[in-house]
Amino acid sequence: GVVGILAVIGGVVAARFARHGPSAIYSGQVTARSIPVTAEQDGLLSEWQVDEGDPLRIGDPIVSISNAALSERRQQLEREISRLQFELDRALAQAELDLEWRTKDVNAEIFTARLQSAELLEEKYRHEMEKVALVDVLNSNSTALWTPKNSAFDSIVLEDADDQTGRLNTVLRVEAASNAADVCSAQVEMCDEQVELLEELKDSLPERVRRSAGVDVIERQLHAAQEEFERLTDKQPHVVVTSKVIGQAGVFLRQPGDYVSVGDRIVEI
């Protein structure tokens, strides 16, 4: 019966013990793995949300870090951006007025230079026509006497070519007309070059006026302030550090009021 079964089991256990001897015993040490909790932003450690030794679950608040300097800097940047935007609007308005009157001045100079070029060109053509007419007179073996009239053709009076002095005067007038035409041509080129330079100046006026009014400097300052403000907007002035693992709060490495930087260890789990 039952006694027999117990006897059989006892015999089996005794046989195994006799065959293998007692079970092996091993010694060792079990070490729990610790996870460091670090500051996620610069600031002052304001308050612990747990006590040392408290159990933690994922998402449990551990400590809060505040950054009053961040809030103050953001407020400074907001005031700076408003001020720079006002200065930029004023500089743009001033630049627009300056550009308007400077453009008028340049346009007036361009008009004057073109008008002078046209007058010189007309004078050049008149001297060339006079030269052609006088050359025709010489070729026809006649002399020409100059009378002060508007037209070169009206001013030429033909006479007999027997007078050598008259013929010499005609040759001299041909040379004078040729020289006058050359001078007018050079002056026309100078006027055209002046017009070209004035046109280039007119094209560069917008950028020149902007620099003179300080628009580009204010724009750079405004852009830099806006970029810094956007970077600071991503940071919160008050951050609560939470647990990322399940475990137990260890010894606090920092105390409330301590300044911490990003990456500083504050506790281990």
Side-chain angles (χ1 to χ4, degrees):
V2 176
V3 177
I5 293 174
L6 292 175
V8 171
I9 294 175
V12 172
V13 173
R16 291 179 60 86
F17 182 80
R19 185 181 309 119
H20 300 288
S23 300
I25 299 175
Y26 300 94
S27 61
Q29 182 179 0
V30 178
T31 303
R33 184 169 64 95
S34 61
I35 303 297
V37 178
T38 59
E40 297 177 357
Q41 75 169 29
D42 299 341
L44 296 178
L45 193 151
S46 56
E47 182 183 4
W48 285 102
Q49 305 291 330
V50 296
D51 294 324
E52 294 179 356
D54 284 354
L56 294 172
R57 295 172 299 177
I58 296 177
D60 285 349
I62 299 176
V63 66
S64 57
I65 300 175
S66 62
N67 192 339
L70 177 63
S71 299
E72 182 179 354
R73 180 56 181 164
R74 286 170 60 177
Q75 293 174 359
Q76 290 177 350
L77 286 172
E78 286 180 346
R79 293 192 296 268
E80 183 73 4
I81 290 173
S82 298
R83 182 186 66 81
L84 289 172
Q85 187 63 58
F86 174 78
E87 291 186 1
L88 178 61
D89 293 339
R90 184 175 60 181
L92 287 172
Q94 183 63 43
E96 185 177 356
L97 292 175
D98 292 347
L99 178 62
E100 183 177 355
W101 68 260
R102 290 191 182 187
T103 301
K104 287 182 179 179
D105 288 345
V106 173
N107 284 335
E109 292 183 22
I110 291 175
F111 176 79
T112 301
R114 286 177 174 171
L115 180 61
Q116 185 178 5
S117 176
E119 292 174 351
L120 289 170
L121 192 61
E122 181 181 1
E123 184 178 354
K124 172 190 173 183
Y125 291 152
R126 183 164 56 86
H127 288 305
E128 289 177 344
M129 292 172 63
E130 177 186 352
K131 175 184 176 181
V132 171
L134 291 171
V135 170
D136 288 342
V137 169
L138 290 175
N139 291 336
S140 64
N141 199 27
S142 299
T143 60
L145 298 178
W146 182 260
T147 58
K149 294 184 179 180
N150 294 330
S151 172
F153 294 104
D154 293 339
S155 64
I156 294 177
V157 178
L158 298 179
E159 288 190 354
D160 194 358
D162 292 340
D163 187 0
Q164 294 297 323
T165 302
R167 183 173 180 82
L168 178 61
N169 288 335
T170 303
V171 172
L172 293 176
R173 295 215 57 84
V174 171
E175 185 67 21
S178 177
N179 292 337
D182 291 340
V183 171
C184 289
S185 179
Q187 291 177 330
V188 168
E189 291 182 2
M190 292 175 61
C191 289
D192 292 342
E193 290 177 358
Q194 184 180 7
V195 169
E196 185 177 351
L197 292 175
L198 289 172
E199 290 289 356
E200 292 178 358
L201 175 61
K202 180 180 176 181
D203 293 338
S204 66
L205 270 181
E207 185 61 28
R208 287 171 176 263
V209 171
R210 283 172 61 89
R211 289 200 303 268
S212 177
V215 173
D216 53 341
V217 175
I218 299 175
E219 283 180 337
R220 287 196 298 268
Q221 293 175 346
L222 178 60
H223 182 67
Q226 289 173 336
E227 281 191 340
E228 184 179 356
F229 182 80
E230 290 178 0
R231 290 195 303 269
L232 295 182
T233 302
D234 297 334
K235 299 180 179 180
Q236 299 298 324
H238 184 80
V239 173
V240 176
V241 180
T242 60
S243 176
K244 304 297 188 295
V245 296
I246 298 174
Q248 185 179 31
V251 177
F252 296 157
L253 304 179
R254 297 298 179 93
Q255 299 301 321
D258 290 349
Y259 183 84
V260 294
S261 302
V262 175
D264 287 351
R265 292 191 176 194
I266 52 180
V267 70
E268 291 185 349
I269 302 175

